[in-house]
Short mmCIF file of all heavy atoms in Angstrom, two decimals:
data_model
loop_
_atom_site.label_atom_id
_atom_site.label_comp_id
_atom_site.label_asym_id
_atom_site.label_seq_id
_atom_site.Cartn_x
_atom_site.Cartn_y
_atom_site.Cartn_z
N ILE Z 18 -25.77 11.36 -14.73
CA ILE Z 18 -27.20 11.07 -14.90
C ILE Z 18 -28.03 11.44 -13.67
O ILE Z 18 -29.23 11.20 -13.64
CB ILE Z 18 -27.43 9.59 -15.27
CG1 ILE Z 18 -26.91 8.66 -14.17
CG2 ILE Z 18 -26.79 9.26 -16.60
CD1 ILE Z 18 -27.30 7.19 -14.38
N MET Z 19 -27.37 12.01 -12.66
CA MET Z 19 -28.11 12.40 -11.46
C MET Z 19 -28.99 13.62 -11.75
O MET Z 19 -28.53 14.59 -12.35
CB MET Z 19 -27.13 12.72 -10.34
CG MET Z 19 -27.80 13.19 -9.04
SD MET Z 19 -26.57 13.62 -7.79
CE MET Z 19 -27.40 15.02 -7.00
N PRO Z 20 -30.26 13.60 -11.36
CA PRO Z 20 -31.13 14.75 -11.59
C PRO Z 20 -30.80 15.90 -10.63
O PRO Z 20 -30.11 15.71 -9.62
CB PRO Z 20 -32.53 14.19 -11.30
CG PRO Z 20 -32.29 13.08 -10.32
CD PRO Z 20 -30.96 12.48 -10.70
N ALA Z 21 -31.31 17.07 -10.94
CA ALA Z 21 -31.13 18.22 -10.05
C ALA Z 21 -31.74 17.90 -8.69
O ALA Z 21 -32.84 17.35 -8.60
CB ALA Z 21 -31.79 19.45 -10.66
N ALA Z 22 -31.03 18.24 -7.64
CA ALA Z 22 -31.48 17.88 -6.29
C ALA Z 22 -30.90 18.84 -5.27
O ALA Z 22 -29.95 19.58 -5.54
CB ALA Z 22 -31.05 16.44 -5.97
N ALA Z 23 -31.50 18.81 -4.09
CA ALA Z 23 -30.98 19.52 -2.93
C ALA Z 23 -30.70 18.50 -1.85
O ALA Z 23 -31.47 17.55 -1.67
CB ALA Z 23 -31.98 20.56 -2.45
N GLY Z 24 -29.60 18.67 -1.13
CA GLY Z 24 -29.24 17.71 -0.09
C GLY Z 24 -28.62 18.39 1.11
O GLY Z 24 -28.07 19.49 1.00
N ILE Z 25 -28.69 17.71 2.25
CA ILE Z 25 -28.23 18.32 3.49
C ILE Z 25 -27.82 17.25 4.49
O ILE Z 25 -28.36 16.13 4.48
CB ILE Z 25 -29.34 19.21 4.10
CG1 ILE Z 25 -28.83 19.96 5.34
CG2 ILE Z 25 -30.60 18.42 4.39
CD1 ILE Z 25 -29.78 21.06 5.80
N ALA Z 26 -26.83 17.58 5.33
CA ALA Z 26 -26.39 16.71 6.41
C ALA Z 26 -26.53 17.45 7.73
O ALA Z 26 -26.14 18.62 7.83
CB ALA Z 26 -24.94 16.30 6.20
N LEU Z 27 -27.09 16.77 8.73
CA LEU Z 27 -27.30 17.35 10.05
C LEU Z 27 -26.60 16.47 11.08
O LEU Z 27 -26.74 15.25 11.06
CB LEU Z 27 -28.80 17.46 10.35
CG LEU Z 27 -29.22 18.04 11.70
CD1 LEU Z 27 -30.53 18.81 11.55
CD2 LEU Z 27 -29.41 16.96 12.76
N GLY Z 28 -25.85 17.11 11.98
CA GLY Z 28 -25.21 16.36 13.06
C GLY Z 28 -26.24 15.98 14.10
O GLY Z 28 -26.62 16.79 14.95
N PHE Z 29 -26.72 14.72 14.02
CA PHE Z 29 -27.83 14.32 14.89
C PHE Z 29 -27.44 14.35 16.36
O PHE Z 29 -28.23 14.79 17.21
CB PHE Z 29 -28.30 12.92 14.48
CG PHE Z 29 -29.43 12.42 15.33
CD1 PHE Z 29 -30.68 13.04 15.29
CD2 PHE Z 29 -29.26 11.34 16.19
CE1 PHE Z 29 -31.72 12.59 16.09
CE2 PHE Z 29 -30.30 10.89 16.98
CZ PHE Z 29 -31.54 11.52 16.94
N ASP Z 30 -26.24 13.92 16.69
CA ASP Z 30 -25.82 13.92 18.09
C ASP Z 30 -25.79 15.35 18.64
O ASP Z 30 -26.15 15.58 19.79
CB ASP Z 30 -24.43 13.29 18.23
CG ASP Z 30 -24.31 11.99 17.49
OD1 ASP Z 30 -24.71 10.95 18.03
OD2 ASP Z 30 -23.82 12.01 16.34
N ARG Z 31 -25.33 16.29 17.82
CA ARG Z 31 -25.30 17.69 18.27
C ARG Z 31 -26.71 18.22 18.53
O ARG Z 31 -26.93 18.94 19.50
CB ARG Z 31 -24.61 18.57 17.22
CG ARG Z 31 -23.12 18.44 17.19
CD ARG Z 31 -22.50 19.51 16.31
NE ARG Z 31 -21.05 19.39 16.26
CZ ARG Z 31 -20.26 20.21 15.59
NH1 ARG Z 31 -20.79 21.22 14.90
NH2 ARG Z 31 -18.95 20.05 15.59
N LEU Z 32 -27.65 17.86 17.67
CA LEU Z 32 -29.02 18.30 17.88
C LEU Z 32 -29.56 17.76 19.20
O LEU Z 32 -30.17 18.49 19.99
CB LEU Z 32 -29.91 17.85 16.72
CG LEU Z 32 -31.39 18.21 16.82
CD1 LEU Z 32 -31.58 19.72 16.91
CD2 LEU Z 32 -32.18 17.62 15.65
N VAL Z 33 -29.31 16.48 19.46
CA VAL Z 33 -29.75 15.88 20.72
C VAL Z 33 -29.06 16.55 21.90
O VAL Z 33 -29.68 16.84 22.93
CB VAL Z 33 -29.49 14.36 20.72
CG1 VAL Z 33 -29.82 13.76 22.08
CG2 VAL Z 33 -30.29 13.67 19.63
N MET Z 34 -27.79 16.81 21.75
CA MET Z 34 -27.00 17.45 22.80
C MET Z 34 -27.60 18.80 23.18
O MET Z 34 -27.79 19.12 24.36
CB MET Z 34 -25.57 17.61 22.28
CG MET Z 34 -24.59 18.26 23.21
SD MET Z 34 -23.00 18.37 22.34
CE MET Z 34 -22.20 19.58 23.40
N LEU Z 35 -27.94 19.62 22.19
CA LEU Z 35 -28.50 20.94 22.46
C LEU Z 35 -29.93 20.83 22.97
O LEU Z 35 -30.37 21.63 23.80
CB LEU Z 35 -28.45 21.82 21.21
CG LEU Z 35 -27.18 22.67 21.05
CD1 LEU Z 35 -25.92 21.83 21.00
CD2 LEU Z 35 -27.28 23.56 19.81
N ALA Z 36 -30.68 19.83 22.49
CA ALA Z 36 -32.07 19.67 22.93
C ALA Z 36 -32.15 19.23 24.39
O ALA Z 36 -33.11 19.56 25.10
CB ALA Z 36 -32.79 18.67 22.04
N THR Z 37 -31.16 18.46 24.84
CA THR Z 37 -31.17 17.95 26.23
C THR Z 37 -30.34 18.80 27.18
O THR Z 37 -30.37 18.58 28.39
CB THR Z 37 -30.63 16.51 26.27
OG1 THR Z 37 -29.29 16.50 25.77
CG2 THR Z 37 -31.50 15.57 25.44
N GLY Z 38 -29.56 19.75 26.63
CA GLY Z 38 -28.69 20.56 27.47
C GLY Z 38 -27.44 19.84 27.92
O GLY Z 38 -26.77 20.29 28.86
N ALA Z 39 -27.09 18.72 27.29
CA ALA Z 39 -25.87 17.98 27.65
C ALA Z 39 -24.64 18.81 27.33
O ALA Z 39 -24.59 19.48 26.29
CB ALA Z 39 -25.82 16.65 26.91
N PRO Z 40 -23.60 18.75 28.17
CA PRO Z 40 -22.42 19.58 27.93
C PRO Z 40 -21.45 19.02 26.90
O PRO Z 40 -20.66 19.77 26.34
CB PRO Z 40 -21.75 19.64 29.31
CG PRO Z 40 -22.18 18.39 29.99
CD PRO Z 40 -23.57 18.11 29.50
N ARG Z 41 -21.50 17.69 26.64
CA ARG Z 41 -20.55 17.08 25.70
C ARG Z 41 -21.28 16.09 24.80
O ARG Z 41 -22.23 15.43 25.21
CB ARG Z 41 -19.43 16.35 26.45
CG ARG Z 41 -18.53 17.24 27.29
CD ARG Z 41 -17.42 16.44 27.95
NE ARG Z 41 -16.58 15.78 26.96
CZ ARG Z 41 -15.55 16.37 26.33
NH1 ARG Z 41 -15.25 17.63 26.59
NH2 ARG Z 41 -14.82 15.69 25.45
N ILE Z 42 -20.77 15.96 23.59
CA ILE Z 42 -21.40 15.07 22.62
C ILE Z 42 -21.39 13.62 23.10
O ILE Z 42 -22.33 12.87 22.85
CB ILE Z 42 -20.71 15.22 21.23
CG1 ILE Z 42 -21.60 14.61 20.14
CG2 ILE Z 42 -19.32 14.63 21.23
CD1 ILE Z 42 -21.13 14.95 18.73
N ASP Z 43 -20.33 13.21 23.81
CA ASP Z 43 -20.27 11.83 24.30
C ASP Z 43 -21.41 11.50 25.26
O ASP Z 43 -21.76 10.32 25.44
CB ASP Z 43 -18.93 11.57 25.00
CG ASP Z 43 -17.78 11.36 24.03
OD1 ASP Z 43 -18.03 11.37 22.80
OD2 ASP Z 43 -16.64 11.17 24.48
N ASP Z 44 -21.99 12.52 25.88
CA ASP Z 44 -23.08 12.28 26.82
C ASP Z 44 -24.34 11.77 26.13
O ASP Z 44 -25.22 11.21 26.80
CB ASP Z 44 -23.40 13.55 27.59
CG ASP Z 44 -22.28 13.98 28.52
OD1 ASP Z 44 -21.59 13.10 29.07
OD2 ASP Z 44 -22.07 15.19 28.70
N VAL Z 45 -24.48 11.98 24.82
CA VAL Z 45 -25.70 11.56 24.12
C VAL Z 45 -25.43 10.47 23.10
O VAL Z 45 -26.27 10.17 22.25
CB VAL Z 45 -26.40 12.77 23.46
CG1 VAL Z 45 -26.85 13.77 24.51
CG2 VAL Z 45 -25.51 13.45 22.42
N ILE Z 46 -24.25 9.85 23.17
CA ILE Z 46 -23.91 8.69 22.33
C ILE Z 46 -23.97 7.45 23.21
O ILE Z 46 -23.34 7.40 24.26
CB ILE Z 46 -22.51 8.86 21.69
CG1 ILE Z 46 -22.52 10.06 20.73
CG2 ILE Z 46 -22.08 7.59 20.98
CD1 ILE Z 46 -21.16 10.38 20.14
N TRP Z 47 -24.73 6.45 22.79
CA TRP Z 47 -24.97 5.28 23.63
C TRP Z 47 -23.67 4.64 24.12
O TRP Z 47 -23.54 4.33 25.30
CB TRP Z 47 -25.84 4.25 22.89
CG TRP Z 47 -27.30 4.54 23.01
CD1 TRP Z 47 -28.08 5.24 22.15
CD2 TRP Z 47 -28.17 4.12 24.09
NE1 TRP Z 47 -29.38 5.30 22.60
CE2 TRP Z 47 -29.47 4.62 23.79
CE3 TRP Z 47 -27.98 3.38 25.25
CZ2 TRP Z 47 -30.57 4.40 24.62
CZ3 TRP Z 47 -29.08 3.16 26.08
CH2 TRP Z 47 -30.35 3.67 25.77
#
């Protein structure tokens, strides 16, 4: 019964990592 849809998943930590220039994902996880 699900209607037609589009969906997406984004790695939020990776986006923050690249936006801040951090070298490792752990650097942007609290």
